[in-house]
Amino acid sequence: MKKHPFNWIATTIAVLVIGIWLFTSFGMIHEEHKEEAEVTSKTHNDEGYFIEIDDKEVHVKDTSTWMLLEEGETYNITYEWYGMKKPYVTDVNQAHDDDQVGGGH
């Protein structure tokens, strides 16, 4: 049976597409920064401490930071995630705090 070159091309393209999808889904760390994001709710359970901003639940790994955040207040929040992990807070600062020194939570 003779192998057709189209099979090799199609297989190569499929492997490349799957590889790129796997890398962007699980290999890259995605980061998002929200200016003046309002904390609409705070919750905690067995999995950890969470805040909700812009209808998105974000994990707060540091309990001290979670306790300082107040519902209804606005903050500049940076969070990141990778793969199927929940987004988690990496940086929090008070909204309209331009100096960035001593103003963060």
Side-chain angles (χ1 to χ4, degrees), residues 17-72:
V17 168
I18 291 171
I20 291 170
W21 177 79
L22 285 172
F23 176 73
T24 57
S25 296
F26 297 100
M28 287 180 54
I29 296 176
H30 304 278
E31 180 178 273
E32 189 163 342
H33 180 74
K34 298 281 188 179
E35 294 282 332
E36 298 185 23
E38 182 179 349
V39 175
T40 54
S41 70
K42 291 172 49 175
T43 57
H44 65 89
N45 56 31
D46 294 338
E47 295 178 15
Y49 293 83
F50 300 92
I51 58 172
E52 186 174 319
I53 53 172
D54 297 337
D55 297 327
K56 185 171 206 143
E57 186 177 66
V58 181
H59 184 219
V60 182
K61 292 183 177 182
D62 183 20
T63 57
S64 298
T65 302
W66 182 83
M67 290 174 24
L68 289 172
L69 296 173
E70 297 180 17
E71 290 182 14

